[in-house]
Amino acid sequence: MKTNKILDFRSDTVTLPTDEMRAAMAVAPVGDDVYKEDPTVNRLQQISAEITGMDAALLVPSGTMGNLASLLAHCQRGQEIIVGRKAHIFLYEAAGAAALGGINIQTIPNQPDGTLKLEDIQAAIRPKDEHQPITRLVALENTHNRCNGISLSPEYTRQVADFVHARNLILHIDGARIFNAAIDLNVSVAQLASPADSVTFCLSKGLSAPVGSVICGSEEFIYKAHRIRKQLGGGMRQAGILAAAGIVALENMVERLEEDHRNARLLALGLAEIPSIAINPAEQHTNMVYFSLIEGSPVSLKVFREQLASAGLLVSGGPDRIRMVTHAWVDQSHVEQAIKIITTLAPH
Ligand code: TLP
């Protein structure tokens, strides 16, 4: 089904459901999931809990809702979470935790490898003082999107979990792409997720399901999150139609992420050959490739992006960087075509 004429490297969110997903969706047994009676949703949740090494799981419509419901389940109004300055929760979730939960967000630097330094976490924890917010939770992101898609190791995650728990705080992981991390590091998702109190992962990014994310944690946490999902309007009734695709995603689409990582590597190496492109291939990780134009370039990144789009190559990014993400709907030949287009259009 790889028939796209446009080369779409904007994100792995653009992946379309596979034929096998569509077939599974068509025959999925369903029920009312708000009553917890959808057998396919229940199965997806059970598989998800097992994979992450957690007790329970809950299907939610999106990664954003997964993080938000998790934060709302863990935190009270007036409490504070500590996240990296480049965290998706801080940058791209429309301040949902603040707007809907009265939760203060304190940021600390992300190291280039996506980690948060323990001493920075320590310094950010509030003293017991009625003038200040109450520190409640620390969130990590794995893989780390804005840190070039880098994976956080199980050892680091365990270290942060121990550190956080010793201070009576909670650890949440935004694991939108935790399957990419597991494949990258050749470890299980449970090794990456289970040290935390909760994790969100996405079915509709590299894993190609049409819709859906899952949050996992203790029975008590999921009980609270279920109610919050309802409050947020995320109770989806016969969601087994979506869960069926999610199950195919978990069963068939994980191992192939390796191919996306290989293609991203090829792409980064190809771009490094182009004199006017600024990229350090050592900074390419998993399925993300970030690059820029060298200093003094006659065109802005915005204009360059538009030129690429006119030539049929879609990329994403902000004013300072272009991002290209490899996924199941781009193969090696698409990567080669993309390199050709960029080589032709890059300023000479
Ligand atoms: N990220 C999207 C954009 O929002 C930037 C993308 O194209 O990468 N956590 C992380 C680390 C994410 O990268 C994303 C999506 C989410 C959460 C939110 O997932 P959705 O889009 O399902 O709400």
Side-chain angles (χ1 to χ4, degrees):
M1 278 202 352
K2 295 186 179 178
T3 54
N4 294 10
K5 285 213 185 71
I6 300 278
L7 300 170
D8 196 345
F9 285 80
R10 283 171 301 169
S11 180
D12 45 10
T13 58
V14 303
T15 46
L16 304 176
T18 62
D19 292 342
E20 205 177 350
M21 287 177 188
R22 289 176 186 270
M25 293 168 84
V27 296
V30 294
D32 191 328
D33 179 50
V34 175
Y35 296 126
K36 305 183 181 171
E37 285 173 4
D38 187 304
T40 311
V41 171
N42 291 342
R43 200 167 137 239
L44 170 68
Q45 291 174 170
Q46 194 193 336
I47 296 171
S48 300
E50 278 162 21
I51 291 177
T52 54
M54 298 287 198
D55 294 334
L58 184 74
L59 174 67
V60 291
S62 67
T64 301
M65 193 188 284
N67 285 332
L68 179 59
S70 299
L71 297 176
L72 293 176
H74 286 310
C75 305
Q76 302 291 317
R77 300 184 76 78
Q79 293 188 333
E80 183 171 75
I81 63 170
I82 298 169
V83 300
R85 218 154 267 163
K86 296 182 178 172
H88 196 277
I89 288 177
F90 176 57
L91 291 175
Y92 301 119
E93 299 189 6
L100 304 178
I103 298 166
N104 212 39
I105 302 183
Q106 187 184 174
T107 61
I108 59 176
N110 274 112
Q111 299 309 306
D113 65 358
T115 59
L116 306 176
K117 278 190 180 164
L118 296 185
E119 58 256 46
D120 289 340
I121 297 176
Q122 181 62 54
I125 296 172
R126 304 285 184 168
K128 203 167 172 202
D129 170 352
E130 48 282 272
H131 298 86
Q132 301 199 27
I134 299 164
T135 308
R136 175 69 172 155
L137 177 147
V138 174
L140 297 176
E141 186 175 313
N142 197 7
T143 61
H144 202 293
N145 186 340
R146 292 271 306 209
C147 293
N148 303 313
I150 199 165
S151 308
L152 306 184
S153 70
E155 296 73 30
Y156 172 73
T157 309
R158 168 65 61 193
Q159 200 187 11
V160 177
D162 290 347
F163 185 86
V164 159
H165 292 150
R167 286 153 184 79
N168 253 336
L169 304 176
I170 288 166
L171 178 64
H172 172 73
I173 297 177
D174 174 358
R177 297 184 180 83
I178 203 163
F179 286 87
N180 294 80
I183 291 292
D184 179 36
L185 301 174
N186 197 20
V187 298
S188 69
V189 170
Q191 282 172 276
L192 296 173
S194 63
D197 300 281
S198 56
V199 63
T200 304
F201 70 78
C202 293
L203 296 163
S204 85
K205 298 198 166 57
L207 301 185
S208 296
V211 178
S213 291
V214 182
I215 56 183
C216 304
S218 68
E219 297 278 358
E220 192 193 344
F221 162 76
I222 292 296
Y223 177 80
K224 283 189 204 160
H226 187 268
R227 185 182 168 77
I228 290 163
R229 185 186 68 175
K230 185 76 194 139
Q231 289 176 330
L232 296 174
M236 294 187 288
R237 308 298 178 187
Q238 287 73 35
I241 297 281
L242 301 174
I247 292 170
V248 175
L250 292 179
E251 288 178 346
N252 295 354
M253 300 299 283
V254 174
E255 293 302 319
R256 64 150 307 287
L257 292 173
E258 180 63 43
E259 189 186 330
D260 298 344
H261 299 175
R262 232 181 5 253
N263 282 334
R265 183 98 206 113
L266 265 181
L267 179 59
L269 291 173
L271 295 179
E273 299 284 307
I274 307 171
S276 56
I277 298 290
I279 184 171
N280 177 357
E283 287 174 0
Q284 173 273 321
H285 304 282
T286 64
N287 66 336
M288 306 235 171
V289 178
Y290 279 94
F291 64 96
S292 184
L293 292 170
I294 54 167
E295 228 166 277
S297 167
V299 279
S300 69
L301 280 186
K302 185 172 176 286
V303 169
F304 188 51
R305 257 197 303 273
E306 285 163 6
Q307 291 170 342
L308 295 176
S310 307
L313 174 60
L314 303 183
V315 301
S316 56
D320 56 339
R321 288 194 303 174
I322 285 180
R323 184 186 73 162
M324 291 177 71
V325 185
T326 53
H327 53 76
W329 289 74
V330 292
D331 59 22
Q332 193 179 323
S333 73
H334 296 125
V335 169
E336 285 158 5
Q337 282 177 52
I339 295 170
K340 245 186 232 161
I341 293 173
I342 297 172
T343 306
T344 310
L345 293 177
H348 294 293

